[in-house]
Amino acid sequence: MAAGKYNTNQRKLILDFLEENSGRHVTADDVLYALKGRGCPVGKATIYRFFDQLAKEGRLLKYLAGDGASACYEYHAGHASNGGHYHLKCDTCGGLAHLACASVAKLYEHIQSEHGFRVDTLQTVFHGTCAACASREEK
């Protein structure tokens, strides 16, 4: 099999995984282990190179959680994202969830109109404790 063809097959496997998990946050390791578990190992460098290409095309959003954690990515089903959403990051379990809330959007508008500051909504992360971790802490 030609090297170019093999690379195309690997990219298809990665894209298939991303499409199956569209709208979810995934890491390169998630892709690596899932494909390895399916008997289709793909190199981590290949995953990152393809992630970079998809990000440049606007089809994959990259989120940096900070604190040395791996970046996570979100695939947008073959079309560019229109942005404008926020995230909740649990400092206990490390979970990252979308926050789609009109009240938060109003806060964004207030910050821009009253304070002249444009918030990068694709990088906005509220830190705290998720409900599951808070429940465990209470017990």
Side-chain angles (χ1 to χ4, degrees), residues 55-114:
K56 285 177 186 170
E57 294 171 4
R59 295 168 50 190
L60 191 68
L61 297 175
K62 180 178 182 178
Y63 302 102
L64 299 172
D67 300 330
S70 295
C72 63
Y73 301 83
E74 182 182 3
Y75 183 70
H76 286 277
H79 59 278
S81 167
N82 62 357
H85 64 272
Y86 310 86
H87 294 89
L88 301 173
K89 168 97 168 123
C90 179
D91 294 328
T92 303
C93 69
L96 187 67
H98 284 286
L99 174 63
C101 178
S103 296
V104 176
K106 288 179 185 176
L107 174 63
Y108 166 77
E109 291 169 11
H110 168 81
I111 291 170
Q112 184 167 340
S113 66
E114 297 296 321

Side-chain angles (χ1 to χ4, degrees), residues 30-48:
D30 292 334
V31 177
L32 184 76
Y33 298 129
L35 295 180
K36 183 177 179 180
R38 297 176 186 177
C40 305
V42 173
K44 202 170 194 178
T46 300
I47 295 168
Y48 278 118

Side-chain angles (χ1 to χ4, degrees), residues 17-18 21 24-28 30-31 51 60 71-74:
F17 176 86
L18 291 172
N21 291 279
R24 287 188 50 233
H25 297 107
V26 299
T27 65
D30 292 334
V31 177
F51 277 10
L60 191 68
C72 63
Y73 301 83
E74 182 182 3

